[in-house]
């Protein structure tokens, strides 16, 4: 299958620029018909954790979208507890891009209780006074998603 695609690519390149002008350009046409994003989407807050049903001792991927006013995100859950820690609830920080997007891998502890948990997202605007080094944290928006932790099974590795 790869050789057929390679042969077609070589034939198009050897045919010259006249053949390239005839070929349709679908991605550019599709992007032009979509238009710009609605302004309300820039203010939307969302959190997605994959997989939705992780096992103990797994790593999950966290995808965040915050309003463009926010420059930092905090994701907290009882499923993110650390080994040997007495704290049941743990918050994980996440930096955001200019568009309000961020992603990070977070470990589900082997000691996290199996069952239902909630993952809470807080989009915040952090400002620091350079002279006094006092920082102000203002919450912009919040979002919560359910998370189900399944028990660890050694048999899945065999």
């Amino acid at each position: 299958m790869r050789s057929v695609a390679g042969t077609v690519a070589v034939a198009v390149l050897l045919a010259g620029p006249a053949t390239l002008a005839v070929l349709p350009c679908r991605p550019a046409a599709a992007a032009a018909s979509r238009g710009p994003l609605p302004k309300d989407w820039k203010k939307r807050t969302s959190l997605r954790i994959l997989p939705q049903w992780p096992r103990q001792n797994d790593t999950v991927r966290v995808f965040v979208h915050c309003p463009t006013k926010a420059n930092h995100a905090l994701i907290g859950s009882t499923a993110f507890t650390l080994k040997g820690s007495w704290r049941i609830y743990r918050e994980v920080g996440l930096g955001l891009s200019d568009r309000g997007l961020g992603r990070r891998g977070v470990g589900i502890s082997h000691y996290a209780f199996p069952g239902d948990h909630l993952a809470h997202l807080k989009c915040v605007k952090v400002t620091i006074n350079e002279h006094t080094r006092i920082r102000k944290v203002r919450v912009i928006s919040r979002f919560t998603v359910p998370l189900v932790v399944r028990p660890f099974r050694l048999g899945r590795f065999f």
Side-chain angles (χ1 to χ4, degrees), residues 2-23:
R2 289 182 184 164
S3 63
V4 172
T7 306
V8 170
V10 169
V12 168
L13 290 174
L14 291 176
T19 308
L20 293 176
V22 175
L23 294 176

Side-chain angles (χ1 to χ4, degrees), residues 43 45 66-72 122-126 138-142:
K43 298 177 183 175
T45 303
C66 288
T68 53
K69 290 181 184 178
N71 60 2
H72 198 72
K122 285 192 292 188
C123 298
V124 295
K125 172 75 173 177
V126 180
R138 187 176 60 144
V139 177
I140 305 292
S141 62
R142 298 171 188 260

Side-chain angles (χ1 to χ4, degrees), residues 25-37:
C25 184
R26 293 180 187 242
S33 65
R34 269 188 258 145
L37 287 175

Side-chain angles (χ1 to χ4, degrees), residues 1 5-6 9 16 46 49-50 53 87 92 94 96 98 104-105 119 130 132-133 137 145 158:
M1 189 66 176
S46 65
I49 297 177
L50 294 176
W53 302 284
R87 294 182 181 226
V92 178
L94 174 67
L96 299 174
D98 294 338
R104 181 176 178 177
E130 294 293 331
T132 61
R133 297 284 186 194
V137 179
V145 295
F158 298 105

Side-chain angles (χ1 to χ4, degrees), residues 4 8 15 40-41 68 76 81 96 121 127 145 148 152 158:
V4 172
V8 170
D40 293 340
W41 282 43
T68 53
T81 56
L96 299 174
L121 166 68
T127 55
V145 295
V148 179
F152 178 78
F158 298 105

Side-chain angles (χ1 to χ4, degrees), residues 51-55 114-117 146-150:
Q52 293 178 347
W53 302 284
R55 294 187 185 272
D116 297 328
H117 296 269
L147 182 66
V148 179
V149 176
R150 297 180 295 163

Side-chain angles (χ1 to χ4, degrees), residues 40-140:
D40 293 340
W41 282 43
K42 292 182 181 181
K43 298 177 183 175
R44 186 158 306 214
T45 303
S46 65
L47 169 66
R48 183 157 189 194
I49 297 177
L50 294 176
Q52 293 178 347
W53 302 284
R55 294 187 185 272
Q56 292 172 328
N57 207 25
D58 270 357
T59 301
V60 295
R61 294 181 308 270
V62 177
F63 298 98
V64 172
H65 179 260
C66 288
T68 53
K69 290 181 184 178
N71 60 2
H72 198 72
L74 297 171
I75 303 106
S77 178
T78 54
F80 302 153
T81 56
L82 292 174
K83 175 183 175 184
S85 176
W86 288 94
R87 294 182 181 226
I88 296 173
Y89 187 82
R90 177 177 166 222
E91 282 190 343
V92 178
L94 174 67
L96 299 174
S97 68
D98 294 338
R99 293 175 26 190
L101 301 171
R103 65 180 185 265
R104 181 176 178 177
V106 180
I108 302 290
S109 174
H110 183 74
Y111 300 97
F113 296 117
D116 297 328
H117 296 269
L118 291 175
H120 304 283
L121 166 68
K122 285 192 292 188
C123 298
V124 295
K125 172 75 173 177
V126 180
T127 55
I128 298 176
N129 186 337
E130 294 293 331
H131 182 67
T132 61
R133 297 284 186 194
I134 296 174
R135 74 182 177 145
K136 293 180 184 178
V137 179
R138 187 176 60 144
V139 177
I140 305 292

